[in-house]
Amino acid sequence: MTEKLRPIKSLGQNFLTDKNIINKIVQSIDIIENDNIFEIGPGMGALTEYILEHKVNYSGIELDERAKEYLENKFSDINIINADFLKYNIPDEIHNYKVVGNLPYYITSSILFKIYEWEKKPSKCIFMVQKEVSDRINGKVGSKENGILSILTNFVGSSKKLFDVSPRCFYPRPRVTSSIIEIKFHNKYNLDFKPFATLVKAAFNQRRKQLGNSLKSYGALPANYKSKRAEQLNCDEFVELYQILNDKETSI
Ligand code: SAM
């Protein structure tokens, strides 16, 4: 039998042990035959084992070399790529795919933004994140949870929380409650992600200030936006503001 891995804290290794929760997560992926599934950080394969009960094309992207070895010993013919997901790209020949994973919490936002930047988006993502991060991803306009994560998520798609997961379901136990979220994508705005994200980040980095101040470097703002604060805007309004500022720039 393969020896279990000693968890490495700096890699965000809290291994999921609760079989009911594992089942619920894998069910929410809605696997269909021949799905292309990419798992971020499979670790010791808590989800992987149940995913592989289906006939799928599976790839795991795992930074910990020990985990790659562990998984290759445990499952025959498994495709584990020993890499940092933040430096990984979906192969060109794959067009329809899902991304899943119990995310390493220290890089949750970077993982999300990386996927949001991709031209070829997944058909859906099922992720475990900290509950507090799920609240921010699903933050409502006017609330303190409305921020960079909610606006940028709504820019590329929509998200919903499926259920919470108690710290008791892991080894070692994390200090926080976790949530499972589903993200699906749309192409409603058809604009570049990066410059839009730069504007949204500038607005929220000084979230207490009025937009007229926090976005000073963009020049004069339209009167209806000047005295508002970032959290009072929804994604449509950010897009409108972005387009007004962009048109102004191109007409100079
Ligand atoms: N999927 C396993 C489970 O549910 O028990 C492990 C989840 S654990 C919360 C996060 C996993 O992500 C760990 O296995 C860790 O080694 C891996 N990881 C951390 N940083 C990573 C990165 N930059 N790229 C890919 N995997 C990473």
Side-chain angles (χ1 to χ4, degrees), residues 5 8-17 22 25 39-48 58 60-67 71 81-88 100-107 111 128 169-171:
L5 303 181
I8 300 177
K9 207 173 164 187
S10 63
L11 287 178
Q13 290 185 342
N14 297 96
F15 298 117
L16 193 54
T17 52
I22 294 171
I25 297 173
E39 184 182 4
I40 303 172
M44 284 194 283
L47 299 180
T48 321
Y58 172 90
I61 298 97
E62 172 57 66
L63 186 57
D64 186 351
E65 217 176 334
R66 301 173 312 157
L71 293 166
I81 299 144
N82 182 212
D84 177 353
F85 183 76
L86 298 178
K87 296 187 181 139
Y88 178 78
V100 305
N102 294 341
L103 298 187
Y105 291 168
Y106 72 108
I107 46 168
I111 289 175
M128 166 123 63
C169 301
F170 299 85
Y171 175 78

Side-chain angles (χ1 to χ4, degrees), residues 212-226:
N213 280 321
S214 53
L215 299 179
K216 224 180 216 152
S217 62
Y218 285 84
L221 257 59
N224 54 333
Y225 284 106
K226 225 187 220 160

Side-chain angles (χ1 to χ4, degrees), residues 113 116 136-137 145-154 197 200-205 207:
F113 296 157
Y116 293 177
R136 286 198 275 128
I137 291 171
E145 282 82 23
N146 188 30
I148 298 169
L149 277 170
S150 54
I151 298 295
L152 295 184
T153 301
N154 286 321
V200 173
K201 285 176 184 173
F204 279 105
N205 279 341
R207 63 186 295 146

